[in-house]
Amino acid sequence: MAEGHRRLVAVSNRVGPLNDEGKAGGLAVGLSDALKRRGGLWFGWSGNTSSKGTFSEAATEIEGDVALTTIDMSEEELSGFYYGYANRSLWPLLHYRLDLAEFDRQSDRIYRSVNQRFAARLSQMLEDDDLVWIHDYHFFYMGSELRQCGFRGKIGFFLHIPFCPPEIFTALPASHDIVRAMLAYDVIGFQTDTDRRNFANFCVRELGGEKLPGHRIRVGDRVVVADTFPIGIDAPGYARFAVSPEAGEHEEMVRGMVGDRLQIIGVDRMDYSKGLVERFRGFERLLEEYPENRGNVQFLQVAPLSRSELDAYVELRRELEELAGHINGRFATLEWTPLQIMTRGFTRRALAGIYRAARVCLVTPLRDGMNLVAKEYVAAQDPDDPGVLILSRFAGARSELTEALVVNPYSTDDVARALQRALTMPLEERKRRWEQMREAVFHGTAAHWCDSFLDRLENADNEADGSAAEAFVEAHPS
Ligand code: ADP
Ligand code: F6P
């Protein structure tokens, strides 16, 4: 643990790994970069199911200054908590996809009980002056459950994904319960100002709360800090990855494969929020409208499978494979296949090399909390010959990466035009745009994100108008 700091206890559904393994998910990447620096305890789900579920024995692995402690879930817990409430109700809803959200009492009940179980297990490991930092939509109730278990220290919460407007969030039958439970946290962090405002508006309109100066919100007697803390990557570390021998091999492999053609890359978990179908259509439109690109560009979409047990994800995979087949069937020649889709994982070093070989990176989610791929692509570029980032206006990263080519991902024409502009952009303009983005990525790192959130959390008492944990428990008896 870093000297002079209280112990950091981070909680998230997925835990680790801390090493350079292929792993897909911004939370794991951002948090492991932060924890490696500061040390502490990282608590969450083991990734396994067992008959004892959340009553199973905790397993701990130590890596440097970090202890990774996990427990199992039962099949029933996994299905109701993770596949059910987290990914069938909350994920689509918070990504503005009310059309895909499903609500049922059973998964609501299991979600609450898993939050309670994780809190009960964690509370046995806590010391009074620990700083507890809960992550993401899997654990909205955990702070209030920790309070019920008697923990009186500081608890922060960070939402890695968007927070939708109140008009959408109120469709969730438990929306009031969730936001009231969130008031147990001392500091609530969001990726963007839009997410923060949506949350504050919910508190005001639905719970009769009041916005206070300094991004604080009062609801009844409770005052909490709700502010914006954009997550970043370990930019210097990532830039070093990009010139490592492993990255170099992958860069060469890609360059060898595409020859004189220009490489376009996309890297996303296979998720409907990532706008992959719309992106493929944009690429098809490029080949239609700008035929000089036929035979001269190559699009590689890396899309590791995610949540494949859910129908919406199975359907997405089917649709993407069909669309890729259609585009290749329509434009391929004997020596050229325009679009390649790959579901395998890569190490971070390998991925950095693949990014470096690509002239254009397409990051076009329909809605995304931040999107670390955009930042990784920037960090991996060769300063003498940087590529161009095409970025959705609906990605959190848009507020920092202002020199990307910003597109509306729903507009096929917009994506095609941006691709054409990126593919023909002169070196001087590429450099100018990349330098601004590099500065932003090196400024807003994972370390900066972690430090600014934890500073705020340590000082939360002074800011939150003296509203103590005790008062929360009194006002919200279980
Ligand atoms: P999300 O959290 O929604 O998945 P992000 O873009 O914020 O989206 O984070 C995705 C992370 O997963 C990035 O760090 C990216 O490098 C990593 N990743 C994506 N695809 C792969 C892959 N095939 N192999 C290894 N890592 C991947
Ligand atoms: O970063 C957003 C996020 O939802 C994380 O919470 C999650 O760990 C990651 O994407 C990958 O999703 P999953 O854990 O469901 O595979």
Side-chain angles (χ1 to χ4, degrees), residues 171-318:
L172 182 71
S175 60
H176 281 221
D177 289 357
I178 285 184
V179 176
R180 282 195 189 282
M182 288 171 77
L183 301 173
Y185 296 112
D186 297 290
V187 176
I188 303 172
F190 297 95
Q191 299 276 25
T192 67
D193 289 339
T194 306
D195 304 316
R196 172 181 56 73
R197 270 196 302 269
N198 286 339
F199 176 80
N201 288 341
F202 186 97
C203 292
V204 172
R205 290 183 210 163
E206 294 293 319
L207 304 181
E210 178 192 3
K211 294 182 195 174
L212 302 177
H215 299 309
R216 293 169 313 142
I217 301 170
R218 181 196 300 281
V219 179
D221 293 339
R222 179 76 185 150
V223 178
V224 294
V225 173
D227 210 346
T228 308
F229 302 89
I231 196 171
I233 60 168
D234 169 10
Y238 206 84
R240 282 195 299 276
F241 279 170
V243 291
S244 66
E246 190 181 347
E249 271 169 39
H250 283 78
E251 185 181 347
E252 280 318 304
M253 242 185 300
V254 175
R255 289 193 191 283
M257 188 179 81
V258 294
D260 291 338
R261 299 181 179 118
L262 294 181
Q263 175 76 32
I264 302 168
I265 184 91
V267 176
D268 312 73
R269 277 182 310 102
M270 200 182 277
D271 192 295
Y272 50 79
S273 64
K274 302 292 181 184
L276 297 171
V277 170
E278 293 74 5
R279 185 182 305 174
F280 282 17
R281 293 211 178 101
F283 178 65
E284 182 179 21
R285 184 66 51 86
L286 172 85
L287 300 179
E288 272 168 13
E289 300 280 319
Y290 305 95
E292 63 273 30
N293 291 299
R294 296 181 197 167
N296 291 320
V297 297
Q298 189 97 38
F299 178 15
L300 170 64
Q301 177 63 53
V302 179
L305 299 180
S306 183
R307 306 173 194 164
S308 316
E309 286 76 357
L310 298 179
D311 290 348
Y313 290 73
V314 174
E315 172 57 22
L316 172 66
R317 183 179 185 184
R318 194 200 52 70

Side-chain angles (χ1 to χ4, degrees), residues 37-228:
R37 273 180 60 253
R38 172 152 180 151
L41 169 66
W42 191 353
F43 176 69
W45 175 45
S46 64
N48 301 317
T49 54
S50 65
S51 55
K52 288 191 173 163
T54 50
F55 291 87
S56 63
E57 200 173 319
T60 297
E61 278 173 41
I62 306 284
E63 289 191 40
D65 288 337
V66 185
L68 306 163
T69 298
T70 55
I71 55 174
D72 297 343
M73 280 189 239
S74 66
E75 289 287 350
E76 193 197 15
E77 286 172 329
L78 182 67
S79 150
F81 163 81
Y82 175 75
Y83 289 116
Y85 205 72
N87 286 320
R88 276 205 191 90
S89 304
L90 294 174
W91 177 272
L93 193 71
L94 290 164
H95 285 88
Y96 299 54
R97 293 297 303 269
L98 191 44
D99 58 318
L100 293 177
E102 298 170 30
F103 310 117
D104 73 88
R105 274 197 305 192
Q106 171 80 339
S107 58
D108 177 319
R109 182 183 64 72
I110 298 175
Y111 177 84
R112 291 177 199 245
S113 109
V114 168
N115 272 249
Q116 192 279 326
R117 290 291 314 137
F118 272 77
R121 296 298 301 273
L122 179 66
S123 63
Q124 293 159 1
M125 305 169 205
L126 292 179
E127 289 153 27
D128 291 347
D129 64 348
D130 283 340
L131 273 184
V132 178
W133 193 7
I134 316 270
H135 291 261
D136 236 358
Y137 60 102
H138 308 95
F139 290 122
F140 280 131
Y141 291 115
M142 190 144 166
S144 102
E145 291 295 346
L146 279 173
R147 293 290 183 227
Q148 305 299 342
C149 293
F151 182 67
R152 297 292 176 264
K154 302 282 176 59
I155 315 180
F157 176 85
F158 186 79
L159 184 65
H160 290 253
I161 68 175
F163 195 91
C164 61
E167 292 77 2
I168 299 177
F169 198 59
T170 43
L172 182 71
S175 60
H176 281 221
D177 289 357
I178 285 184
V179 176
R180 282 195 189 282
M182 288 171 77
L183 301 173
Y185 296 112
D186 297 290
V187 176
I188 303 172
F190 297 95
Q191 299 276 25
T192 67
D193 289 339
T194 306
D195 304 316
R196 172 181 56 73
R197 270 196 302 269
N198 286 339
F199 176 80
N201 288 341
F202 186 97
C203 292
V204 172
R205 290 183 210 163
E206 294 293 319
L207 304 181
E210 178 192 3
K211 294 182 195 174
L212 302 177
H215 299 309
R216 293 169 313 142
I217 301 170
R218 181 196 300 281
V219 179
D221 293 339
R222 179 76 185 150
V223 178
V224 294
V225 173
D227 210 346
T228 308

Side-chain angles (χ1 to χ4, degrees), residues 284-450:
E284 182 179 21
R285 184 66 51 86
L286 172 85
L287 300 179
E288 272 168 13
E289 300 280 319
Y290 305 95
E292 63 273 30
N293 291 299
R294 296 181 197 167
N296 291 320
V297 297
Q298 189 97 38
F299 178 15
L300 170 64
Q301 177 63 53
V302 179
L305 299 180
S306 183
R307 306 173 194 164
S308 316
E309 286 76 357
L310 298 179
D311 290 348
Y313 290 73
V314 174
E315 172 57 22
L316 172 66
R317 183 179 185 184
R318 194 200 52 70
E319 195 177 353
L320 281 176
E321 286 176 350
E322 199 175 295
L323 192 51
H326 159 78
I327 295 170
N328 283 334
R330 184 171 169 201
F331 292 105
T333 61
L334 283 178
E335 62 277 354
W336 176 60
T337 308
L339 196 166
Q340 204 183 352
I341 181 163
M342 214 182 252
T343 58
R344 54 162 292 186
F346 289 97
T347 64
R348 296 181 80 190
R349 285 181 177 78
L351 208 47
I354 297 172
Y355 287 136
R356 202 172 163 96
R359 170 59 64 85
V360 181
C361 181
L362 271 172
V363 177
T364 54
L366 304 182
R367 192 64 62 177
D368 211 336
M370 173 53 62
N371 198 291
L372 293 185
V373 165
K375 295 187 173 185
E376 291 168 357
Y377 178 74
V378 169
Q381 293 310 292
D382 174 357
D384 294 328
D385 188 20
V388 182
L389 177 65
I390 297 181
L391 186 59
S392 161
R393 59 178 299 155
F394 304 120
R398 188 224 167 162
S399 22
E400 292 162 278
L401 305 181
T402 52
E403 286 301 317
L405 296 185
V406 175
V407 292
N408 170 2
Y410 291 94
S411 164
T412 309
D413 287 330
D414 207 13
V415 174
R417 268 194 305 269
L419 271 170
Q420 175 66 4
R421 189 167 166 207
L423 290 162
T424 53
M425 189 179 284
L427 179 62
E428 281 320 303
E429 184 178 352
R430 280 193 273 133
K431 280 187 177 169
R432 180 179 58 71
R433 288 177 177 273
W434 175 78
E435 271 154 22
Q436 178 281 331
M437 293 194 284
R438 182 195 178 277
E439 212 173 298
V441 170
F442 274 70
H443 172 74
T445 57
H448 178 78
W449 167 70
C450 178

